[in-house]
Amino acid sequence: MTRGTGRGGASPAPRSVDVARLAGVSQKTVSRVFNDEQYVSADVRRRVLEAAEELGYRRNNAARALASGRTRSIGVVTLGTALYGPASLLMGVERVVRDTGYALRVVNTMEGDPAGIAGAVDSLLDQGVDGIVVSEPIDELAAGGDTALRVDVPVLVLGAPSPVVAPTVLTAGDGADLMARAATEHLLDLGHATVHHLAGPQAWYAARDRLDGWRTTLTAHGRTVPPVVEGDWSAASGHAAGRELAADGDVTAVFAANDDMAIGLMRALAEAGRRVPHDVSVVGFDDVPVAAYVTPPLTTVPQRFDAVAQEGLKRLVHAIENPDAIPLPASDPPVDLVVRASTAPPPNRTAPVRGRAAASRSRSAAPTAPHANGGRPTPN
Amino acid sequence: MTRGTGRGGASPAPRSVDVARLAGVSQKTVSRVFNDEQYVSADVRRRVLEAAEELGYRRNNAARALASGRTRSIGVVTLGTALYGPASLLMGVERVVRDTGYALRVVNTMEGDPAGIAGAVDSLLDQGVDGIVVSEPIDELAAGGDTALRVDVPVLVLGAPSPVVAPTVLTAGDGADLMARAATEHLLDLGHATVHHLAGPQAWYAARDRLDGWRTTLTAHGRTVPPVVEGDWSAASGHAAGRELAADGDVTAVFAANDDMAIGLMRALAEAGRRVPHDVSVVGFDDVPVAAYVTPPLTTVPQRFDAVAQEGLKRLVHAIENPDAIPLPASDPPVDLVVRASTAPPPNRTAPVRGRAAASRSRSAAPTAPHANGGRPTPN
DNA sequence: TTGAAAGCGCTAACAT
DNA sequence: ATGTTAGCGCTTTCAA
């Protein structure tokens, strides 16, 4: 537990020379010890460490950065929301970054922020980071009118193709289209004629990806592609969209681009007297912690934020430390739907329902429908 | 839109001397311009800015920090979770920090992390931050066995009393007990004989605060204080606790320490055949975005994360920049409950219910109970 | 209003 | 295995 004593406002912080003097070695040797370089005898190392401990020495990172040209820090550009996706990704990133010995600097972008991602990246560059992570970018670069931002450190983009130009650009977690496919196919397999989509804001790559996956799947199966309803990720927008969808008797299955919207949607359906999953099936995306506990428990596509962050950062750090090596290849995590109680076969396979509530009230009114897990929530 | 051109791997980054030479001034003058110091003629300023633009100059922060002894950065210690509270607070902090011109460094602590908060603070100190924000600390310092960590920069603690010793320690957002009181009194006002509490993990100051507020309120009203059930903030733990509470026919009102647990709790009650709010009223805490859209819409105590972060940081920055001045006073934001449809008078005022479901089925089975907002979700 | 000189505390390169 | 010598690019004196 080496821990600074905190000089009580008095004497200035000790420097490596002070440690060197006390240990009877040169400054360079102190540097060697603290950088874990080789060629330091066990005895000298011990003496240096003791001297440092005694003085309460901690090395000055600014001086280190200035002399070495590296800050040993990684910057993250993330969206200024507490949305489950971005927040989880950020936490995952922090964890891995710390493990790799880098410091983390964070800059937010807000939707509608004029400076946008370019401004955020720019400010990180000002701070002198060694690498940059752009998490879940939305595209507003076009609005800037400026040419695409050029960056001279490696960049990792999470959940999207890259919005910047850099010598090394890596991506991870951009397989949302495949996951959307799994969701859509699940509903088709249950017998639904087609699947409606409650999309996320189309400025987000992540939202477009999910929409693409959904559309492609329907087309591949020869189904009609119904008009898209767009939300803003919030439960409130899902609720608003749900009122529209509830009014359309043809809607028997909806794939929502995230769980929050799915929850708002289910609420609107309930208010309109359309039961989930009996009349309408709903699939979400993310697997937020409450998903298993809403009514009915939500079938959804879990995202593996930790895995994505870890995988991506491993490659980013590799790129930072081996500028001339070939970047490590990406490997996307597998897709697996979590089936709970918000999905079921359509109300009437042969005669599509027209108007609301035709031939319903037949099955149990309990919100937890029959399924693999019998309506019992699945903690995850 | 001053933006680095990104030298294509070739020429080294321009320094302030280069700019000075091109502008025909001294290095110091360039420094003056970039630091917005006074005593620079408009003409010289313009020439310097042009030269800088032309060269794609951006100043070196490491050198700046080394020369000035200040990093112009603030460190945040936060919990490594995507929990709504901590995540929202972090986002709020980032927003304000950026506005004040400081950079943000983030370090997580995980529950059960041996190094804990002390280790996190220590690593920020290593990075040379000018101030530290500790968000929603849990207490594990005792476990370290070490004396309390001493820090020589100002510290702002969010949502708790301070776990560290520093020359300046500020706190903000630690009024959870008052908010818990509002929740408890709301239920008593509805006529409930007493209120049960589904608490958060007691290692968290925030959880203990809410529990204290609840207990104090019951005592002040002369009510019996029922045994506490403890969860871990998750909907899953709320669900588990809910099974217990549902089995106890005396339970007519529960105050949960956060919304996620309240949602899990409501699910468990529904599964047990106890209707919310008809048989049991539930109040949450936080006002997460989905709270208005679960079934039934949840009555809860909203937290004003942005206000807390803003208020706290204003004071922290003041303390950093005026080390010898008296710290600015705290001002806690007001409390206001959001009443939705998960609370109602107890099922039978005069004869307490024994066993389950006595005298129920009387009111509408619709989950949205009668209330100010008529069961219509209130977007926030 | 501007400039010259002297470090800030470390690491890099080259001895030894 | 250890020491010496130069800077890294800026801000801080102090002069002018």
Side-chain angles (χ1 to χ4, degrees):
Chain A
M1 284 264 139
T2 311
R3 191 170 291 172
T5 352
R7 40 221 62 72
S11 54
R15 297 150 303 153
S16 64
V17 239
D18 301 321
V19 175
R21 196 149 31 215
L22 183 59
V25 299
S26 76
Q27 192 189 26
K28 175 67 222 189
T29 298
V30 174
S31 166
R32 282 204 178 90
V33 170
F34 276 87
N35 289 314
D36 274 322
E37 286 174 32
Q38 48 183 357
Y39 303 134
V40 203
S41 70
D43 179 55
V44 168
R45 156 168 270 111
R46 194 183 41 69
R47 261 165 44 220
V48 168
L49 256 16
E50 278 172 12
E53 169 86 273
E54 184 177 335
L55 261 29
Y57 170 72
R58 75 193 333 150
R59 69 190 155 178
N60 182 319
N61 254 288
R64 230 154 96 80
L66 179 56
S68 68
R70 292 182 45 202
T71 57
R72 280 149 246 259
S73 69
I74 289 177
V76 180
V77 178
T78 183
L79 217 83
T81 67
L83 285 175
Y84 183 71
S88 301
L89 224 29
L90 179 59
M91 291 304 140
V93 166
E94 196 284 339
R95 206 162 308 161
V96 187
V97 165
R98 186 133 87 122
D99 286 348
T100 60
Y102 282 75
L104 220 223
R105 322 230 181 161
V106 177
V107 177
N108 282 178
T109 14
M110 279 138 290
E111 228 159 338
D113 181 351
I117 293 177
V121 168
D122 202 53
S123 91
L124 287 173
L125 255 18
D126 264 351
Q127 294 180 47
V129 296
D130 294 337
I132 290 178
V133 179
V134 179
S135 176
E136 301 257 17
I138 59 181
D139 52 9
E140 13 72 312
L141 283 184
D146 210 322
T147 44
L149 179 59
R150 272 204 155 54
V151 181
D152 45 11
V153 297
V155 173
L156 168 68
V157 185
L158 258 22
S162 176
V164 300
V165 177
T168 308
V169 176
L170 309 164
T171 61
D174 53 344
D177 49 342
L178 285 184
M179 300 165 80
R181 164 133 68 105
T184 309
E185 278 178 342
H186 165 66
L187 290 165
L188 294 181
D189 288 350
L190 283 171
H192 294 272
T194 189
V195 175
H196 283 67
H197 183 44
L198 171 44
Q202 293 298 298
W204 292 56
Y205 289 102
R208 293 207 296 273
D209 249 27
R210 291 166 207 186
L211 186 141
D212 284 349
W214 161 79
R215 195 197 331 254
T216 307
T217 308
L218 288 184
T219 307
H221 287 254
R223 307 306 172 90
T224 59
V225 178
V228 171
V229 187
E230 185 176 329
D232 66 4
W233 297 130
S234 74
S237 73
H239 182 259
R243 297 167 85 109
E244 280 181 47
L245 291 166
D248 179 353
D250 286 341
V251 176
T252 66
V254 183
F255 163 46
N258 79 341
D259 287 349
D260 281 11
M261 292 197 296
I263 290 169
L265 166 69
M266 292 202 300
R267 170 101 207 127
L269 291 170
E271 286 169 1
R274 305 202 64 187
R275 289 166 303 155
V276 178
H278 187 269
D279 301 322
V280 181
S281 286
V282 174
V283 175
F285 201 99
D286 277 352
D287 197 18
V288 298
V290 301
Y293 299 95
V294 294
T295 301
L298 186 62
T299 293
T300 187
V301 183
Q303 292 215 69
R304 304 195 44 219
F305 299 107
D306 275 5
V308 167
Q310 179 146 9
E311 212 263 327
L313 271 149
K314 200 180 62 194
R315 296 193 289 129
L316 180 66
V317 170
H318 174 87
I320 290 173
E321 294 177 352
N322 309 283
D324 301 318
I326 300 159
L328 298 174
S331 72
D332 257 351
V335 179
D336 46 351
L337 196 70
V338 175
V339 177
R340 296 206 181 93
S342 65
T343 48
N348 187 333
R349 296 273 215 130
T350 49
V353 180
R354 288 246 154 244
R356 92 154 58 149
S360 51
R361 317 279 157 200
S362 55
R363 252 181 11 214
S364 152
T368 58
H371 247 304
N373 57 8
R376 218 45 151 323
T378 314
N380 47 319
Chain B
M1 286 267 142
T2 311
R3 192 170 288 171
T5 351
R7 39 222 62 73
S11 54
R15 298 150 303 153
S16 64
V17 239
D18 301 323
V19 176
R21 198 150 28 215
L22 183 59
V25 297
S26 76
Q27 191 189 27
K28 174 66 223 191
T29 297
V30 174
S31 167
R32 284 205 179 87
V33 170
F34 275 86
N35 288 314
D36 273 321
E37 288 175 31
Q38 47 183 358
Y39 302 134
V40 205
S41 69
D43 179 56
V44 169
R45 156 168 271 111
R46 193 183 41 68
R47 261 163 47 219
V48 168
L49 257 15
E50 278 173 13
E53 168 87 272
E54 184 177 336
L55 260 31
Y57 170 71
R58 74 192 337 149
R59 72 190 153 177
N60 181 320
N61 255 288
R64 230 153 95 79
L66 178 57
S68 69
R70 291 183 45 202
T71 57
R72 281 146 246 257
S73 68
I74 288 177
V76 180
V77 178
T78 183
L79 217 83
T81 68
L83 286 175
Y84 182 71
S88 301
L89 223 29
L90 179 58
M91 292 305 139
V93 167
E94 196 286 336
R95 207 162 307 160
V96 187
V97 166
R98 185 133 87 121
D99 285 348
T100 60
Y102 282 75
L104 222 223
R105 323 232 179 158
V106 177
V107 177
N108 282 179
T109 16
M110 279 138 291
E111 226 158 341
D113 181 351
I117 292 177
V121 167
D122 203 52
S123 91
L124 287 172
L125 254 20
D126 265 350
Q127 293 180 47
V129 295
D130 295 337
I132 291 179
V133 179
V134 179
S135 175
E136 300 258 15
I138 57 180
D139 53 8
E140 12 74 310
L141 284 185
D146 210 320
T147 43
L149 179 59
R150 270 205 156 52
V151 181
D152 45 11
V153 297
V155 173
L156 168 69
V157 184
L158 258 22
S162 175
V164 301
V165 177
T168 308
V169 176
L170 309 164
T171 60
D174 51 346
D177 49 343
L178 285 184
M179 300 163 81
R181 164 133 69 104
T184 310
E185 279 180 341
H186 166 66
L187 291 166
L188 295 180
D189 288 350
L190 285 170
H192 294 271
T194 190
V195 175
H196 282 69
H197 184 43
L198 171 43
Q202 292 298 299
W204 291 56
Y205 288 101
R208 293 207 297 273
D209 250 26
R210 291 167 207 185
L211 186 141
D212 284 350
W214 161 79
R215 193 193 338 248
T216 307
T217 307
L218 287 186
T219 308
H221 287 254
R223 309 306 173 89
T224 60
V225 178
V228 171
V229 188
E230 185 176 329
D232 65 4
W233 298 129
S234 74
S237 73
H239 182 259
R243 297 167 87 108
E244 280 181 48
L245 291 167
D248 179 353
D250 286 340
V251 176
T252 67
V254 183
F255 163 46
N258 79 342
D259 288 348
D260 281 11
M261 291 197 296
I263 290 169
L265 166 68
M266 293 202 299
R267 170 99 209 129
L269 290 170
E271 286 168 3
R274 305 202 65 186
R275 288 165 303 156
V276 178
H278 188 272
D279 301 323
V280 182
S281 286
V282 175
V283 175
F285 201 100
D286 277 354
D287 198 19
V288 299
V290 299
Y293 299 95
V294 294
T295 300
L298 185 63
T299 293
T300 187
V301 183
Q303 291 215 69
R304 305 193 44 217
F305 299 107
D306 274 6
V308 167
Q310 179 147 8
E311 213 263 326
L313 271 150
K314 200 180 61 192
R315 297 192 290 128
L316 180 66
V317 169
H318 174 86
I320 291 173
E321 295 178 351
N322 308 282
D324 301 318
I326 300 159
L328 298 174
S331 73
D332 257 351
V335 179
D336 47 350
L337 195 71
V338 176
V339 177
R340 297 205 182 92
S342 65
T343 48
N348 188 332
R349 295 274 214 126
T350 49
V353 180
R354 289 246 153 245
R356 92 155 56 155
S360 50
R361 318 281 156 201
S362 58
R363 254 186 6 219
S364 151
T368 58
H371 248 305
N373 55 9
R376 214 53 147 319
T378 313
N380 46 321

